[in-house]
Amino acid sequence: NAGVTQTPKFRVLKTGQSMTLLCAQDMNHEYMYWYRQDPGMGLRLIHYSVGEGTTAKGEVPDGYNVSRLKKQNFLLGLESAAPSQTSVYFCASRVAGAQETQYFGPGTRLLVL
Amino acid sequence: RKEVEQDPGPFNVPEGATVAFNCTYSNSASQSFFWYRQDCRKEPKLLMSVYSSGNEDGRFTAQLNRASQYISLLIRDSKLSDSATYLCVVNMGSGGFKTIFGAGTRLFVKA
């Protein structure tokens, strides 16, 4: 049982390049989330999904797209990377239900030059 | 106003001290509450859930005051290994799908 995994762990991009971050969970969780964390800012929700085939915008969705074609995977795409997207990206998942807690992946560190 | 607010600290305490953190939330319909711990350059991990009646887990005690909309975490007999950032977390929305994280309170425990 690997829990929540993220690929890649670290990436350097040039401005304007695109990339996809992959989040995978093997706990059969319904809900999945993408956050970014910047120094002193705390976690900010980018997009989330409450089930396969459904996605919704969070607090800071601009510049990102997501897809959840399979229940266990949640992809975060950057179509044209900008230096402002330099951050640590965390994926999380949890069971549906108000009392449930989130489980996080180890994070992806992205540097956009 | 932020939906979940915490004092960013840092709190600098000696080993063995008792330290308390508070957190306030703005949405009275919030459904569940948690404290997470985040170590430097690591992912957040659940420390404990917070129940209306208050709950304790070893040296850690969490309290919820729904009337005043605040949550607290008390750490007794602080250890060096308690040094971390503590995140206040609230679930809200239909089915509690929306999770809001506070920005965190930084704790340094010194020998």
Side-chain angles (χ1 to χ4, degrees):
Chain A
N1 190 335
V4 181
T5 58
Q6 292 184 233
T7 309
K9 289 184 171 54
F10 179 71
R11 184 75 182 270
V12 179
L13 287 179
K14 294 181 180 178
T15 296
Q17 286 185 318
S18 64
M19 77 165 294
T20 300
L21 283 69
L22 171 63
C23 175
Q25 53 94 3
D26 60 3
M27 298 175 283
N28 203 34
H29 287 171
E30 288 84 1
Y31 296 172
M32 295 188 74
Y33 305 80
W34 275 108
Y35 297 91
R36 61 177 289 173
Q37 188 172 38
D38 303 297
M41 296 290 292
L43 288 160
R44 291 187 292 169
L45 181 64
I46 304 171
H47 286 278
Y48 64 94
S49 169
V50 296
E52 182 179 321
T54 70
T55 63
K57 294 180 180 180
E59 179 186 358
V60 289
D62 293 342
Y64 305 95
N65 57 73
V66 288
S67 65
R68 191 158 177 212
L69 300 179
K70 294 183 179 180
K71 186 177 184 179
Q72 63 268 34
N73 295 336
F74 195 26
L75 278 63
L76 178 70
L78 286 73
E79 292 183 346
S80 179
S84 61
Q85 294 178 303
T86 293
S87 189
V88 180
Y89 291 86
F90 287 105
C91 175
S93 71
R94 70 174 174 96
V95 176
Q99 304 300 323
E100 301 298 328
T101 61
Q102 294 193 2
Y103 295 83
F104 282 82
T108 293
R109 298 183 183 281
L110 177 64
L111 175 62
V112 183
L113 301 175
Chain B
R1 181 186 174 189
K2 291 181 180 178
E3 291 184 278
V4 177
E5 293 199 76
Q6 297 181 248
D7 180 345
F11 285 65
N12 294 286
V13 303
E15 272 188 296
T18 295
V19 61
F21 306 138
N22 289 325
C23 165
T24 58
Y25 61 95
S26 60
N27 189 332
S28 59
S30 297
Q31 299 178 45
S32 52
F33 310 88
F34 311 90
W35 284 101
Y36 278 64
R37 169 191 171 129
Q38 186 174 24
D39 293 294
C40 189
R41 301 177 71 83
K42 297 287 189 180
E43 72 272 25
K45 293 184 178 179
L46 178 68
L47 178 66
M48 58 194 304
S49 301
V50 186
Y51 302 118
S52 297
S53 55
N55 49 297
E56 189 174 305
D57 183 0
R59 298 182 293 108
F60 299 85
T61 300
Q63 297 276 357
L64 167 64
N65 185 319
R66 282 191 181 271
S68 300
Q69 296 183 202
Y70 81 78
I71 308 150
S72 65
L73 177 68
L74 183 76
I75 305 175
R76 292 182 299 277
D77 189 24
S78 299
K79 311 291 185 190
L80 294 175
S81 58
D82 293 334
S83 296
T85 297
Y86 291 84
L87 307 175
C88 174
V89 183
V90 176
N91 280 355
M92 59 183 75
S94 176
F97 72 88
K98 184 178 180 183
T99 302
I100 304 296
F101 285 78
T105 298
R106 191 75 176 91
L107 172 66
F108 292 97
V109 181
K110 299 182 177 180

